[in-house]
């Protein structure tokens, strides 16, 4: 299938219909529609930063709707077209980030291009135009856009998450004059929707996120009914910002240091946490612990506007004959899904796990997604059986006291449905004895100086938690005797279900000097600000005693700062890395936030295969994606390039895309940002403002069960050979300098074989090159001579050994070998 058609298909299957009162959609009559909002003509098809893509000539929502026969009211159309010709249309990032790597090789680019840009005001539509349009039609479409925030800056709460004053005024006018209003959310993250309840005339709501270059065409197809929406929310939409449990523990206002949470905000000592001499030592405390997203709202009985997994269709589906069977390695859940409506369409069936446990058991969320499947396109009256596989490991939790993954004895309910709040019980798993599925060791725990000083969310403090109170009351026959499965420890431990990549043999090394080893532990390029611009005088490597460069760039298309060093005479060649999650400068794909809403594994593989082909065409060896951090807070500036609030959905999505990319070609993925990089504000500190890098403080259990889980799935189920560490600290240690993270967990526990690279940018409050290599972070990017000198200094001081340098280079060579083996 043509790449553009794939991009359109992804958007078609991912767009989420959230409201459709009076069945206003699809638009059945060939009548005029009043289009409002600057984003109808300045359609946002891409995010910004490394998750962005700049493609000229993308169709706008207004243009694509006209092509499908939707006639816009002429005077309003003329008004917006005039405005578009005279003023800036969107807050789109005017800098082409797909080419920034060719010019800028250091972290200073984040300070220059990572500044917050507020949403632009809506145009002031003359009242006479609104009156004239209302005389011709009773139906209006208001497109609301957001492209604020990004790398190094989170979105703002006023005039961003909340509607701007100009949007509020325009919305009021629209809802006053039109009986039928359709809202389209062309946004790079969630916005406040509490106003949906205020206006009865708002009949329909569509979430299209940032849908890629074919997104406007996909939306037009859904509005006309040529396409039946089948997307489901990969996040929970709460009624108010304050309803999100992270709301009081997330800093976004980097322009005002006094508003940034720091150690002192929690009664902690920056000195004891190793942060000394700074104007500010920021922290982000994961107070919500294991209760992110729907896990929080469902466990604590909180009402929401739109639940996780929710999405409407133009048809209806019935689920019947659900069956649960124990099989080798896990549980198979099957059910029949029938289209009982009048239009063909697809449905997503979801399975959640709830444990029935006494108060003394290990605390767990009320329910967790453990499997899902999307049907094929079902004609009216057509039926299909879905099969959902749940491996035993998905029943396990991490017990910090035992430092082990365990499945506690007790009863586990399996609930099936169409969203997290529309389920019925289909089976129960009964386990007599507790089973330890994996013995670990405590890693990356809360720093000793902070223990006992921080409180995290727990059900033990909630005396009125009634999760069932927020669910619709539906007939539920409970669990029949035939749906009860008895499980023993022998069943669970009978065999591993992970598909781990084969272990590489110990990689042999050519004879290398200390200088050569250090030079291979960085990227090839100057590693200094704007070195590729101007006189290009900064060297890309260090030189030997004869003045000869120790390394070179042997890649035919790769450029300094994004290639690995080569030593041709010793058989070491360069490989080429390129951003990012929305593509590598070819097709502008839908962003991950929307892609996850398709809940379609085959589609994700198709997307990965298409990106892999793009990489192969451009001779890119390492795609710097997927990004698998979680949606912890709706203000995170990079939520558009992250999949979901749910670690399991994120992991499955990332694994399927990875399998598509790495399908028998010389291309591999590099998942990022490892780990706990859910806040952009001061993620890498700021030397100019004398601000330290933010410290993500969270429990070991939350880290392992949620924020590390997608990475673990990628290692064990998708066979990745490269991974990118994040800039931030985790419980006081830089991610890239954490031996616990980069060696003990990643390699010793998960069995990772390959190279660990840092994120790009080595100039501010980020890990020292020698410390990174010693911790198991093999390559510092973009690196260059500045970091080579750091590593050599660390070697002289004994902070990194020759053995550690050799091990890092072995990992690089294993990664290179994996790329060539795929060729």
């Amino acid at each position: 299938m043509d790449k553009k058609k794939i991009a359109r298909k992804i958007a078609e299957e991912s767009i989420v219909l959230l409201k459709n009162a009076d069945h206003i959609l699809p638009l059945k009559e060939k009548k005029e529609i009043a289009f409002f909002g600057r984003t109808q003509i300045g359609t946002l098809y891409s995010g910004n930063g490394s998750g962005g893509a700049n493609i000229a000539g993308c169709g706008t929502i207004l243009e694509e709707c006209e092509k499908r026969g939707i006639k816009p009211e002429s005077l309003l159309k003329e008004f917006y077209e005039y405005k578009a010709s005279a003023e800036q249309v969107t807050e789109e990032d005017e800098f082409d980030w797909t080419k920034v790597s060719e010019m800028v090789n250091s972290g200073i680019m984040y300070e220059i291009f990572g500044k917050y840009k507020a949403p632009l005001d809506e145009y002031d539509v003359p009242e006479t135009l609104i009156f004239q349009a209302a005389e011709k039609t009773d139906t209006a479409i208001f497109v609301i856009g957001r492209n604020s925030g990004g790398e190094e800056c989170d979105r703002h709460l006023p005039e961003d998450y909340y509607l701007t004053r100009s949007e509020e005024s325009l919305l009021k006018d629209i809802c006053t004059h039109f009986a039928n209003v359709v809202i389209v959310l062309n946004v790079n993250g969630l916005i406040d929707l509490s106003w949906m309840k205020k206006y009865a005339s708002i009949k329909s709501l569509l979430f299209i996120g940032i849908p890629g270059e074919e997104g406007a065409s996909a939306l037009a197809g859904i509005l006309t009914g040529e396409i039946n929406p089948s997307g489901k929310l990969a996040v929970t939409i709460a009624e108010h910002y304050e309803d999100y449990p992270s709301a009081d523990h997330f800093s976004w206002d980097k322009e005002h240091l006094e508003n940034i949470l720091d150690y002192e905000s929690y009664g902690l000592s920056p000195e004891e946490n190793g942060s000394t001499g700074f104007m500010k030592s920021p922290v982000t405390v994961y107070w919500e612990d294991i209760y992110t997203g729907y896990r929080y709202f469902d466990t604590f009985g909180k009402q929401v506007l739109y639940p996780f997994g929710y999405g409407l269709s133009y048809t209806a589906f019935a689920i019947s004959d659900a069956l649960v069977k124990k099989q080798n390695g896990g549980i198979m859940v099957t059910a029949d899904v029938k289209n009982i409506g009048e239009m063909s369409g697809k449905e997503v069936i979801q399975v959640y796990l709830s444990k029935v446990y006494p108060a003394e058991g290990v605390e767990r969320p009320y329910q967790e997604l453990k499997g899902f499947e999307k049907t094929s396109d079902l004609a009216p009256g057509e039926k299909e059986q879905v099969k959902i596989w749940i491996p035993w490991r998905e029943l396990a939790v991490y017990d910090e006291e035992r430092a082990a993954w365990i499945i506690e004895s007790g009863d586990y309910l399996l609930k099936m449905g169409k969203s997290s709040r529309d389920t019925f019980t289909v089976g129960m798993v009964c386990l007599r004895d507790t089973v330890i599925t994996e013995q670990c060791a405590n890693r990356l725990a809360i720093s000793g100086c902070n223990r006992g000083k921080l409180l995290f969310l727990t059900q033990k403090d909630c005396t009125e938690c009634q999760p069932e109170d927020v669910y619709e009351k539906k007939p539920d026959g409970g669990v029949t005797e035939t749906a009860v499965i008895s499980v023993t420890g022998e069943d669970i431990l009978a065999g591993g279900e992970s598909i781990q990549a084969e272990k590489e043999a110990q990689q042999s090394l050519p004879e290398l000097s200390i200088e050569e080893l250090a030079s291979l532990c960085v990227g090839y390029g100057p590693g200094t600000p704007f070195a590729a611009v101007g006189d290009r005088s900064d060297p890309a490597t260090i030189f030997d005693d004869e003045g000869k460069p120790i390394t070179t760039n042997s890649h035919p298309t790769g450029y300094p700062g994004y290639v690995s060093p080569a030593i041709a005479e010793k058989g070491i060649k360069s490989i080429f890395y390129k951003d990012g999650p929305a593509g590598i400068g070819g097709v502008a794909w839908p962003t991950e936030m929307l892609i996850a809403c398709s809940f379609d594994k085959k589609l994700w593989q198709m997307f990965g295969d298409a990106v892999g082909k793009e990489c192969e065409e451009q001779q890119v060896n390492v795609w710097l994606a997927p990004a698998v951090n979680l949606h912890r807070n709706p203000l995170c500036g990079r939520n558009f390039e992250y999949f979901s609030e749910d670690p399991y959905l994120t992991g499955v999505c990332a694994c399927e895309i990875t399998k598509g990319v790495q399908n028998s070609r010389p291309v591999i993925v590099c998942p990022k940002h490892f780990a706990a990089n859910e806040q952009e504000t001061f993620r890498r500190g700021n030397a100019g403002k004398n601000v330290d890098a933010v410290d993500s403080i969270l429990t070991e259990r939350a880290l392992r069960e949620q924020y590390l889980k997608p990475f673990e799935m990628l290692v064990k189920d998708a066979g990745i050979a490269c991974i990118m560490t994040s800039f931030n600290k985790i419980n006081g240690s830089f991610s890239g300098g954490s031996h616990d993270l980069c060696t003990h967990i990643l390699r010793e526990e998960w069995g990772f074989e390959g190279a660990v690279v840092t994120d790009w940018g080595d100039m501010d409050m980020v890990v020292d090159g020698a410390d990174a290599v010693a911790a198991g972070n093999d390559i510092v990017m973009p690196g260059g001579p500045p970091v080579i000198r750091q590593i050599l200094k660390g070697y002289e001081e004994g902070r990194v050994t020759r053995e550690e340098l050799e091990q890092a280079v072995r990992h690089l060579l294993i990664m290179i070998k994996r790329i060539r083996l795929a060729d």
Side-chain angles (χ1 to χ4, degrees):
M1 186 185 294
D2 174 77
K3 292 174 188 173
K4 287 183 179 290
K5 290 182 179 178
I6 296 173
R8 185 165 64 249
K9 182 175 177 59
I10 293 170
E12 289 171 348
E13 294 212 17
S14 302
I15 289 173
V16 187
L17 178 62
L18 293 170
K19 183 178 181 179
N20 199 28
D22 302 332
H23 301 287
I24 187 174
L25 295 181
L27 299 170
K28 303 175 185 68
E29 302 174 15
K30 298 292 184 180
K31 62 179 182 180
E32 286 186 288
I33 303 294
F35 279 84
F36 291 90
R38 65 193 306 149
T39 312
Q40 63 170 299
I41 48 174
T43 304
L44 297 166
Y45 62 89
S46 171
N48 45 46
S50 65
N54 279 11
I55 306 294
C58 297
T60 70
I61 289 173
L62 187 65
E63 291 170 344
E64 294 300 327
C65 284
E66 282 194 276
K67 288 180 183 178
R68 301 294 179 105
I70 301 174
K71 184 180 180 183
E73 195 281 322
S74 58
L75 293 177
L76 280 173
K77 176 187 174 184
E78 290 175 7
F79 169 79
Y80 277 100
E81 287 179 337
Y82 166 76
K83 285 292 188 180
S85 66
E87 300 179 28
Q88 183 181 356
V89 180
T90 73
E91 70 269 30
E92 191 172 2
D93 191 356
E94 63 268 16
F95 191 84
D96 187 351
W97 277 78
T98 64
K99 296 181 172 61
V100 71
S101 50
E102 299 177 36
M103 298 189 297
V104 183
N105 288 319
S106 92
I108 198 171
M109 66 183 178
Y110 298 118
E111 293 308 311
I112 297 171
F113 304 111
K115 293 186 182 299
Y116 175 76
K117 296 178 183 178
L120 297 174
D121 285 335
E122 274 296 342
Y123 300 132
D124 185 10
V125 183
E127 191 174 8
T128 54
L129 288 185
I130 298 176
F131 273 114
Q132 290 172 334
E135 289 176 352
K136 299 178 185 178
T137 179
D138 64 353
T139 303
I141 294 177
F142 181 17
V143 185
I144 299 175
R146 284 292 182 279
N147 202 26
S148 50
E151 294 192 51
E152 301 297 309
C153 64
D154 294 302
R155 294 172 55 214
H156 287 195
L157 192 59
E159 298 276 313
D160 188 339
Y161 176 77
Y162 294 120
L163 293 182
T164 65
R165 284 185 288 271
S166 58
E167 287 171 336
E168 287 181 348
S169 177
L170 181 57
L171 177 66
K172 182 179 179 181
D173 287 342
I174 295 170
C175 292
T176 299
H177 291 89
F178 298 88
N180 300 305
V181 178
V182 177
I183 304 292
V184 176
L185 301 177
N186 182 194
V187 292
N188 67 342
L190 299 183
I191 64 170
D192 172 61
L193 294 175
S194 60
W195 43 266
M196 284 290 296
K197 293 183 176 181
K198 183 178 178 181
Y199 299 106
S201 55
I202 299 179
K203 300 293 178 63
S204 187
L205 176 65
L206 282 156
F207 174 81
I208 72 168
I210 303 295
E213 64 182 84
E214 292 293 315
S217 175
L219 172 66
I222 286 173
L223 290 172
T224 60
E226 295 174 48
I227 303 298
N228 191 347
S230 60
K232 302 281 188 173
L233 282 179
V235 294
T236 304
I237 300 180
E239 185 166 359
H240 304 287
Y241 176 74
E242 294 76 18
D243 294 340
Y244 292 97
S246 61
D248 292 335
H249 305 274
F250 184 91
S251 294
W252 51 267
D253 191 4
K254 68 184 283 188
E255 291 80 13
H256 299 90
L257 287 182
E258 66 274 14
N259 294 334
I260 301 298
L261 293 167
D262 56 17
Y263 289 110
E264 284 97 339
S265 304
Y266 294 89
L268 307 177
S269 165
E271 291 77 18
E272 290 179 358
N273 280 278
S275 181
T276 58
F278 293 100
M279 179 81 68
K280 200 76 171 179
S281 299
V283 302
T284 179
V285 175
Y286 288 52
W287 170 83
E288 66 278 10
D289 201 33
I290 59 172
Y291 300 106
T292 304
Y294 71 90
R295 287 168 165 79
Y296 167 74
F297 295 107
D298 294 353
T299 301
F300 294 92
K302 305 293 184 181
Q303 294 286 353
V304 298
L305 278 179
Y306 301 105
F308 175 86
Y310 176 81
L312 299 175
S313 170
Y314 294 152
T315 189
F317 299 90
I319 306 173
S320 63
D321 299 321
L323 188 62
V324 178
K325 288 184 178 180
K326 177 175 66 175
Q327 294 186 355
N328 182 34
I331 302 164
M332 179 64 76
V333 183
T334 59
D336 290 337
V337 183
K338 183 177 182 180
N339 185 341
I340 58 173
E342 299 177 352
M343 181 178 181
S344 64
K346 299 181 178 183
E347 180 60 286
V348 175
I349 305 302
Q350 304 156 44
V351 175
Y352 296 83
L353 180 77
S354 291
K355 185 173 186 291
V356 181
Y357 64 92
E360 63 270 14
V362 174
E363 190 170 320
R364 297 182 70 132
Y366 173 70
Q367 63 179 1
E368 299 166 88
L369 180 72
K370 295 301 179 185
F372 57 89
E373 202 66 48
K374 193 168 194 173
T375 69
S376 58
D377 195 38
L378 300 178
E382 189 176 0
K383 182 167 63 174
E384 177 178 292
Q385 185 185 65
V386 295
K387 297 180 179 180
I388 298 172
W389 172 249
I390 303 173
W392 294 126
R393 69 181 181 194
E394 288 303 324
L395 275 65
V397 295
Y398 185 77
D399 184 354
E400 286 191 33
E401 290 188 11
R402 306 188 208 195
W405 289 93
I406 66 169
I407 305 178
E408 275 197 307
S409 61
D411 300 332
Y412 297 80
L413 297 178
L414 293 170
K415 299 179 178 182
M416 176 180 286
K418 303 171 186 177
S419 80
S420 62
R421 294 205 170 171
D422 180 8
T423 62
F424 61 97
T425 304
V426 296
M428 184 164 67
V429 176
C430 301
L431 178 64
R432 182 181 303 171
D433 300 310
T434 296
V435 178
I436 295 178
T437 60
E438 183 181 358
Q439 184 63 56
C440 305
N442 290 122
R443 306 291 184 192
L444 278 174
I446 298 285
S447 301
C449 61
N450 299 334
R451 287 178 199 156
K453 299 178 183 178
L454 293 169
L455 297 177
F456 294 91
L457 182 61
T458 173
Q459 293 180 53
K460 296 173 183 175
D461 297 334
C462 184
T463 58
E464 300 178 356
C465 297
Q466 298 295 332
E468 291 84 356
D469 289 348
V470 298
Y471 287 75
E472 297 178 26
K473 301 301 180 184
K474 295 188 176 182
D476 191 337
V479 183
T480 63
E481 189 174 336
T482 56
V484 176
I485 299 175
S486 295
V487 179
T488 66
E490 288 76 14
D491 293 324
I492 294 170
L493 300 176
E497 66 281 346
S498 296
I499 308 171
Q500 294 202 42
E502 290 185 13
K503 292 281 186 181
E504 297 278 355
Q506 179 71 4
Q507 181 70 44
S508 60
L509 285 182
E511 186 175 332
L512 297 167
S513 68
I514 288 296
E515 288 76 17
E516 288 173 323
L517 289 170
S519 298
L520 290 169
C521 290
V522 301
Y524 179 85
T528 51
F530 300 105
V533 183
D535 63 9
R536 301 172 181 259
S537 60
D538 289 340
T541 185
I542 61 173
F543 300 83
D544 62 20
D545 295 337
E546 298 176 356
K548 178 184 175 184
I550 285 181
T551 57
T552 60
N553 173 15
S554 68
H555 199 277
T557 63
Y559 34 79
Y562 275 74
V563 291
S564 64
I567 304 179
E569 61 271 23
K570 296 189 177 180
I572 301 174
K573 296 182 179 181
S574 297
I575 59 171
F576 180 20
Y577 309 84
K578 197 170 185 184
D579 273 318
I584 58 168
V587 173
W589 299 96
T591 59
E592 291 186 0
M593 176 183 68
L594 185 65
I595 289 172
C597 295
S598 73
F599 278 75
D600 191 324
K601 299 171 187 175
K602 293 179 181 177
L603 194 66
W604 295 334
Q605 278 210 30
M606 186 185 298
F607 166 58
D609 183 61
V611 172
K613 288 177 181 176
E614 280 193 321
C615 290
E616 199 167 10
E617 290 163 3
Q618 296 187 32
Q619 299 184 64
V620 172
N621 305 116
V622 184
W623 181 39
L624 298 176
V628 295
N629 299 101
L630 302 186
H631 289 234
R632 176 183 171 238
N633 184 282
L635 298 185
C636 176
R638 297 179 79 172
N639 277 346
F640 70 92
E641 62 174 294
Y642 300 153
F643 294 112
S644 172
E645 68 189 23
D646 182 71
Y648 176 78
L649 174 60
T650 294
V652 173
C653 194
C655 285
E656 296 303 321
I657 291 171
T658 296
K659 292 171 186 175
V661 171
Q662 300 183 168
N663 182 19
S664 301
R665 59 170 58 95
V667 182
I668 62 173
V669 303
C670 179
K672 58 185 185 181
H673 311 86
F674 189 56
N677 180 187
E678 280 73 33
Q679 175 178 300
E680 286 298 299
T681 299
F682 294 124
R683 65 172 181 152
R684 60 190 302 283
N686 185 300
K689 294 182 179 179
N690 196 26
V691 177
D692 199 1
V694 69
D695 188 0
S696 298
I697 301 178
L698 68 169
T699 66
E700 183 188 5
R701 181 183 175 192
L703 181 68
R704 285 181 178 271
E705 287 190 12
Q706 296 196 127
Y707 302 98
L708 295 186
K709 183 178 176 70
F711 294 100
E712 182 179 10
M713 293 172 71
L714 281 160
V715 171
K716 293 182 176 179
D717 299 345
I720 61 170
C722 185
I723 196 167
M724 181 195 294
T725 54
S726 54
F727 288 135
N728 57 284
K729 299 177 182 179
I730 302 176
N731 290 329
S733 300
F734 279 110
S735 299
S738 171
H739 201 264
D740 273 0
L741 183 68
C742 299
T743 297
H744 290 311
I745 292 176
L746 180 62
R747 296 190 186 279
E748 295 171 4
E749 289 187 18
W750 299 351
F752 175 73
E753 294 263 329
V756 181
V757 305
T758 67
D759 202 344
W760 265 242
D762 56 356
M763 293 304 179
D764 265 351
M765 308 306 175
V766 291
V767 65
D768 174 87
D771 295 340
V773 175
N777 192 336
D778 309 298
I779 303 165
V780 178
M781 296 297 294
V787 182
I788 296 173
R789 289 190 285 270
Q790 284 182 1
I791 295 171
L792 291 174
K793 181 181 178 183
Y795 174 74
E796 292 171 1
E797 296 172 352
R799 289 185 289 113
V800 63
T801 65
R802 180 183 181 91
E803 182 182 5
E804 289 165 338
L805 290 169
E806 288 178 343
Q807 188 65 273
V809 174
R810 285 193 184 93
H811 295 152
L812 168 66
L813 296 182
I814 287 172
M815 178 173 68
I816 293 173
K817 183 179 178 183
R818 280 284 303 278
I819 293 168
R820 291 179 183 159
L821 281 176
D823 194 357

